[in-house]
Amino acid sequence: MKIKKLLIATLAIFGLTSCLGGSNDDQHYIAALSDCINYVENTQSGDVNVTGGAKYSIDVNITQSTLDLVIDGVQLTPGGGSLVLNLKDIPCSYDKDGNLVASTLTYTSGSNTITNFSFKMRQRYLNATSYIPVFDVTFNINGSYFVRTFQSSTFYFGTTNVQIINTSTQTNTDKTFYTVTFDKTKIGEGNNVSANLYIYSAKFADKMPKMDLMIFNIPAKLGRDGYTLAGDNLKVYTGTVTNPVEQPDYPITGLTGTGIITKGLTLNFTVASRFILSADLGYSFTEGVIEDLQ
């Protein structure tokens, strides 16, 4: 099915590998997160530097309740050197929602001093074979820089509302879900980046079949708490990431979005000058929304 092919393609973009293991009778959860984007803000001047390709190596000692984290690719200033930060034995625990959390006020990695380090991993199994957690990592470094990490790809779920223009017809669904990906090869000056939006099981009218849609090269801006999307006259594609097929009957206008890392994503746009879509999205989903990928 098309949704299966598109999901597999976007899961490949996600950049996460993970496994369970053990050593010295301790049980470990080990994960590698690649192609992350780092937002770095100079807390004194306000200058921002955004770089792609950062890698996170995560080792959670489940038995000892500690976190080891290697962050490879922190660039504090444009053209500056790339730092590798190594944090070990950070105390971690699970919050009331089952999310893994870790924090420390001060940590020294080589010649770099890390303060206000915060790590959160929201646990999510899309199905029996697809584990897609959401990571929330922030810290200050060397007294002058704030760093937030953005995953290359994030899935969102929630309620989508569709209003047909100049009518009272309105539909709501929780079966449509979304992925936002950031393109590390298209990073502009300051906090400007390029995003792609994937919409699964989109349906704008009762008689319209469900469609999986792709929207590429949406202007985006990163910030301390999340990101914004803003694009107009955007082309819509079906098919797959590697073989997209343009759908000229469904142009997108007035697209806006606000992604808050601690909450989720709100989206608004108009399709084909006829359908007004608004979506209030988070990280959890109802059973049955995602089809089996096997």
CSV table of all heavy atoms in Angstrom, one decimal, residues 74-109:
chain,number,residue,atom,x,y,z
A,74,VAL,N,28.8,19.8,17.7
A,74,VAL,CA,28.3,21.1,18.2
A,74,VAL,C,29.2,22.2,17.7
A,74,VAL,O,30.4,22.3,18.1
A,74,VAL,CB,28.2,21.0,19.8
A,74,VAL,CG1,27.7,22.4,20.3
A,74,VAL,CG2,27.3,19.9,20.3
A,75,GLN,N,28.7,23.0,16.9
A,75,GLN,CA,29.4,24.2,16.4
A,75,GLN,C,28.9,25.5,16.9
A,75,GLN,O,27.7,25.8,16.6
A,75,GLN,CB,29.3,24.2,14.8
A,75,GLN,CG,30.3,25.2,14.2
A,75,GLN,CD,30.1,25.1,12.7
A,75,GLN,OE1,29.1,25.4,12.1
A,75,GLN,NE2,31.2,24.8,12.0
A,76,LEU,N,29.6,26.1,17.8
A,76,LEU,CA,29.1,27.3,18.5
A,76,LEU,C,29.0,28.5,17.7
A,76,LEU,O,28.1,29.3,17.9
A,76,LEU,CB,30.0,27.5,19.7
A,76,LEU,CG,30.1,26.4,20.7
A,76,LEU,CD1,31.0,26.8,21.9
A,76,LEU,CD2,28.7,26.0,21.2
A,77,THR,N,29.9,28.7,16.7
A,77,THR,CA,29.9,29.9,15.9
A,77,THR,C,30.0,29.5,14.4
A,77,THR,O,30.6,28.4,14.1
A,77,THR,CB,31.1,30.8,16.2
A,77,THR,OG1,32.3,30.1,16.1
A,77,THR,CG2,30.9,31.3,17.7
A,78,PRO,N,29.6,30.3,13.5
A,78,PRO,CA,29.7,30.0,12.0
A,78,PRO,C,31.2,29.8,11.7
A,78,PRO,O,32.0,30.7,12.0
A,78,PRO,CB,29.1,31.2,11.3
A,78,PRO,CG,28.2,31.8,12.3
A,78,PRO,CD,28.8,31.5,13.7
A,79,GLY,N,31.5,28.7,11.1
A,79,GLY,CA,32.9,28.4,10.7
A,79,GLY,C,33.8,28.0,11.8
A,79,GLY,O,35.0,27.7,11.6
A,80,GLY,N,33.2,27.9,13.0
A,80,GLY,CA,34.0,27.5,14.2
A,80,GLY,C,34.2,26.0,14.2
A,80,GLY,O,33.7,25.2,13.4
A,81,GLY,N,35.1,25.5,15.1
A,81,GLY,CA,35.4,24.1,15.2
A,81,GLY,C,34.2,23.3,15.7
A,81,GLY,O,33.3,23.9,16.4
A,82,SER,N,34.2,22.0,15.4
A,82,SER,CA,33.1,21.2,15.8
A,82,SER,C,33.5,20.4,17.1
A,82,SER,O,34.5,19.8,17.2
A,82,SER,CB,32.8,20.1,14.7
A,82,SER,OG,31.7,19.3,15.1
A,83,LEU,N,32.6,20.6,18.2
A,83,LEU,CA,32.9,20.0,19.5
A,83,LEU,C,32.3,18.6,19.6
A,83,LEU,O,31.3,18.3,19.0
A,83,LEU,CB,32.4,20.9,20.6
A,83,LEU,CG,32.8,22.4,20.6
A,83,LEU,CD1,32.2,23.1,21.8
A,83,LEU,CD2,34.4,22.4,20.8
A,84,VAL,N,33.0,17.8,20.4
A,84,VAL,CA,32.5,16.5,20.8
A,84,VAL,C,32.4,16.5,22.3
A,84,VAL,O,33.4,16.7,23.0
A,84,VAL,CB,33.4,15.3,20.4
A,84,VAL,CG1,32.8,14.0,20.9
A,84,VAL,CG2,33.6,15.3,18.9
A,85,LEU,N,31.1,16.4,22.8
A,85,LEU,CA,30.9,16.5,24.2
A,85,LEU,C,30.6,15.1,24.7
A,85,LEU,O,29.8,14.3,24.1
A,85,LEU,CB,29.7,17.4,24.5
A,85,LEU,CG,29.8,18.8,23.9
A,85,LEU,CD1,28.6,19.6,24.2
A,85,LEU,CD2,31.1,19.5,24.5
A,86,ASN,N,31.2,14.7,25.8
A,86,ASN,CA,31.0,13.4,26.4
A,86,ASN,C,30.5,13.5,27.8
A,86,ASN,O,31.2,13.9,28.7
A,86,ASN,CB,32.4,12.7,26.4
A,86,ASN,CG,32.3,11.2,26.6
A,86,ASN,OD1,31.3,10.7,27.1
A,86,ASN,ND2,33.3,10.4,26.2
A,87,LEU,N,29.3,13.1,28.1
A,87,LEU,CA,28.7,13.2,29.4
A,87,LEU,C,28.5,11.7,29.9
A,87,LEU,O,28.0,10.9,29.2
A,87,LEU,CB,27.3,13.9,29.3
A,87,LEU,CG,27.3,15.4,29.1
A,87,LEU,CD1,27.5,15.7,27.6
A,87,LEU,CD2,26.0,16.0,29.6
A,88,LYS,N,28.9,11.5,31.1
A,88,LYS,CA,28.8,10.1,31.7
A,88,LYS,C,28.1,10.1,33.0
A,88,LYS,O,28.2,11.1,33.8
A,88,LYS,CB,30.2,9.5,31.8
A,88,LYS,CG,30.9,9.1,30.5
A,88,LYS,CD,32.2,8.4,30.7
A,88,LYS,CE,32.8,7.9,29.5
A,88,LYS,NZ,31.9,6.8,28.9
A,89,ASP,N,27.4,9.0,33.3
A,89,ASP,CA,26.8,8.8,34.6
A,89,ASP,C,25.9,9.9,35.0
A,89,ASP,O,25.8,10.3,36.2
A,89,ASP,CB,27.9,8.5,35.6
A,89,ASP,CG,28.7,7.3,35.3
A,89,ASP,OD1,28.1,6.3,34.8
A,89,ASP,OD2,29.9,7.3,35.6
A,90,ILE,N,25.1,10.4,34.1
A,90,ILE,CA,24.1,11.4,34.5
A,90,ILE,C,22.9,10.7,35.1
A,90,ILE,O,22.3,9.8,34.4
A,90,ILE,CB,23.6,12.2,33.2
A,90,ILE,CG1,24.8,12.9,32.5
A,90,ILE,CG2,22.6,13.3,33.6
A,90,ILE,CD1,25.6,13.8,33.4
A,91,PRO,N,22.4,11.0,36.3
A,91,PRO,CA,21.3,10.3,36.8
A,91,PRO,C,20.0,10.5,36.0
A,91,PRO,O,19.7,11.6,35.4
A,91,PRO,CB,21.1,11.0,38.2
A,91,PRO,CG,22.4,11.7,38.5
A,91,PRO,CD,23.0,12.0,37.2
A,92,CYS,N,19.3,9.4,35.8
A,92,CYS,CA,18.1,9.4,35.0
A,92,CYS,C,17.0,8.6,35.7
A,92,CYS,O,17.2,7.8,36.5
A,92,CYS,CB,18.3,8.9,33.6
A,92,CYS,SG,18.8,7.2,33.4
A,93,SER,N,15.7,8.9,35.2
A,93,SER,CA,14.6,8.2,35.8
A,93,SER,C,13.4,8.3,34.8
A,93,SER,O,13.6,8.9,33.8
A,93,SER,CB,14.2,8.9,37.2
A,93,SER,OG,13.9,10.2,37.0
A,94,TYR,N,12.3,7.7,35.2
A,94,TYR,CA,11.1,7.8,34.4
A,94,TYR,C,10.1,8.7,35.1
A,94,TYR,O,9.9,8.6,36.3
A,94,TYR,CB,10.5,6.5,34.1
A,94,TYR,CG,11.3,5.6,33.2
A,94,TYR,CD1,12.3,4.7,33.8
A,94,TYR,CD2,11.2,5.6,31.9
A,94,TYR,CE1,13.1,3.9,32.9
A,94,TYR,CE2,12.0,4.9,31.0
A,94,TYR,CZ,12.9,4.0,31.6
A,94,TYR,OH,13.7,3.2,30.8
A,95,ASP,N,9.5,9.6,34.3
A,95,ASP,CA,8.5,10.5,34.9
A,95,ASP,C,7.1,9.8,34.9
A,95,ASP,O,7.0,8.6,34.5
A,95,ASP,CB,8.4,11.8,34.1
A,95,ASP,CG,7.9,11.7,32.6
A,95,ASP,OD1,7.4,10.6,32.3
A,95,ASP,OD2,8.0,12.6,31.9
A,96,LYS,N,6.1,10.5,35.3
A,96,LYS,CA,4.8,9.9,35.5
A,96,LYS,C,4.1,9.4,34.2
A,96,LYS,O,3.2,8.5,34.2
A,96,LYS,CB,3.8,10.9,36.2
A,96,LYS,CG,3.5,12.1,35.4
A,96,LYS,CD,2.6,13.1,36.2
A,96,LYS,CE,2.3,14.4,35.4
A,96,LYS,NZ,1.7,14.1,34.1
A,97,ASP,N,4.6,9.9,33.1
A,97,ASP,CA,4.1,9.5,31.8
A,97,ASP,C,4.9,8.4,31.1
A,97,ASP,O,4.7,8.0,30.0
A,97,ASP,CB,4.0,10.7,30.8
A,97,ASP,CG,3.0,11.7,31.4
A,97,ASP,OD1,1.9,11.3,31.8
A,97,ASP,OD2,3.4,12.9,31.3
A,98,GLY,N,6.0,7.9,31.9
A,98,GLY,CA,6.8,6.9,31.3
A,98,GLY,C,7.9,7.3,30.4
A,98,GLY,O,8.6,6.5,29.7
A,99,ASN,N,8.2,8.6,30.4
A,99,ASN,CA,9.3,9.2,29.6
A,99,ASN,C,10.6,9.2,30.4
A,99,ASN,O,10.6,9.5,31.6
A,99,ASN,CB,9.0,10.6,29.2
A,99,ASN,CG,7.7,10.7,28.5
A,99,ASN,OD1,7.4,10.0,27.5
A,99,ASN,ND2,6.8,11.6,28.9
A,100,LEU,N,11.7,8.9,29.7
A,100,LEU,CA,13.0,8.9,30.4
A,100,LEU,C,13.5,10.3,30.5
A,100,LEU,O,13.6,11.0,29.5
A,100,LEU,CB,14.0,8.0,29.6
A,100,LEU,CG,15.4,7.9,30.1
A,100,LEU,CD1,15.4,7.0,31.4
A,100,LEU,CD2,16.4,7.4,29.1
A,101,VAL,N,13.9,10.7,31.7
A,101,VAL,CA,14.4,12.1,31.9
A,101,VAL,C,15.7,12.1,32.6
A,101,VAL,O,16.0,11.2,33.4
A,101,VAL,CB,13.3,12.9,32.6
A,101,VAL,CG1,12.1,13.1,31.8
A,101,VAL,CG2,13.0,12.3,34.0
A,102,ALA,N,16.6,13.0,32.3
A,102,ALA,CA,17.8,13.2,32.9
A,102,ALA,C,18.2,14.6,32.9
A,102,ALA,O,17.9,15.4,32.0
A,102,ALA,CB,18.9,12.4,32.2
A,103,SER,N,18.9,15.1,34.0
A,103,SER,CA,19.3,16.5,34.0
A,103,SER,C,20.5,16.6,35.0
A,103,SER,O,20.7,15.8,35.9
A,103,SER,CB,18.2,17.4,34.5
A,103,SER,OG,17.8,17.0,35.8
A,104,THR,N,21.3,17.7,34.8
A,104,THR,CA,22.3,18.0,35.7
A,104,THR,C,22.6,19.5,35.6
A,104,THR,O,22.5,20.1,34.5
A,104,THR,CB,23.6,17.2,35.4
A,104,THR,OG1,24.6,17.5,36.4
A,104,THR,CG2,24.2,17.5,34.0
A,105,LEU,N,22.9,20.1,36.7
A,105,LEU,CA,23.2,21.5,36.7
A,105,LEU,C,24.5,21.9,36.1
A,105,LEU,O,24.6,22.9,35.4
A,105,LEU,CB,23.1,22.1,38.2
A,105,LEU,CG,21.7,22.0,38.8
A,105,LEU,CD1,21.8,22.5,40.3
A,105,LEU,CD2,20.7,22.8,38.0
A,106,THR,N,25.5,21.1,36.4
A,106,THR,CA,26.9,21.4,35.9
A,106,THR,C,27.6,20.2,35.5
A,106,THR,O,27.6,19.2,36.3
A,106,THR,CB,27.7,22.2,36.9
A,106,THR,OG1,27.0,23.4,37.3
A,106,THR,CG2,29.0,22.6,36.3
A,107,TYR,N,28.3,20.2,34.4
A,107,TYR,CA,29.1,19.0,34.0
A,107,TYR,C,30.2,19.5,33.1
A,107,TYR,O,30.1,20.4,32.3
A,107,TYR,CB,28.2,18.0,33.2
A,107,TYR,CG,28.9,16.7,32.9
A,107,TYR,CD1,28.7,15.6,33.8
A,107,TYR,CD2,29.8,16.5,31.9
A,107,TYR,CE1,29.3,14.4,33.6
A,107,TYR,CE2,30.4,15.3,31.7
A,107,TYR,CZ,30.2,14.2,32.6
A,107,TYR,OH,30.8,13.0,32.4
A,108,THR,N,31.4,18.9,33.3
A,108,THR,CA,32.6,19.3,32.6
A,108,THR,C,33.0,18.2,31.6
A,108,THR,O,33.2,17.1,32.0
A,108,THR,CB,33.8,19.7,33.5
A,108,THR,OG1,33.4,20.7,34.4
A,108,THR,CG2,35.0,20.1,32.7
A,109,SER,N,33.1,18.6,30.3
A,109,SER,CA,33.5,17.6,29.3
A,109,SER,C,34.8,18.2,28.6
A,109,SER,O,34.7,19.2,27.8
A,109,SER,CB,32.4,17.4,28.3
A,109,SER,OG,32.9,16.6,27.2
